[in-house]
Amino acid sequence: MRWLTLAAVCLVMVGCGNDSPSEPSHPGQQVYTRYCFSCHAAGVAGAPQVGNPAAWEARLAKGREALVQATIDGIPPGMPARGLCSSCTDEELAEAVDFMIERSRPE
C-alpha cells in the first residue's frame, strides 16, 4: 500500500525523481491542478473536460474574456464563483482558463 501512495504522489508531482520540484510549464497550471482539476478532468457537473475540443467549442466561441468572467462569477448550479479559489486573483484565474483553453484546442 505504501508504494501505491508513493506512486500517486509521484504522478501528482511532475518532477518525480528529481532533486527539486519542477516548475509548472504554464503559469495557470498550478491553479488548475489545485482548484479546477477535480471537476474539469472528469467533466463533473457539466464542466467541460480539459483536452476535449468538442466540450469547449461553444464556450470558446464566446471568447476568452467571457470564459474568464464566468470563472470569476460562477455558473449556477455547477460552477462556484472563483472555482472555489477565494484567494486567487483575477489574473491567476485567467491564467488557469488560458491553461485549460490551450490544452483543449483542436490539434
Side-chain angles (χ1 to χ4, degrees), residues 49-53 56 100 103-105:
Q49 288 183 282
V50 171
N52 180 346
W56 286 85
M100 290 187 279
R103 279 154 180 78
S104 301
R105 290 198 187 277

Side-chain angles (χ1 to χ4, degrees), residues 15-42:
C16 184
N18 294 338
D19 290 336
S20 62
S22 63
E23 291 297 315
S25 61
H26 186 284
Q29 183 176 356
Q30 188 172 26
V31 170
Y32 167 77
T33 301
R34 187 160 185 199
Y35 297 100
C36 312
F37 174 84
S38 59
C39 292
H40 285 279

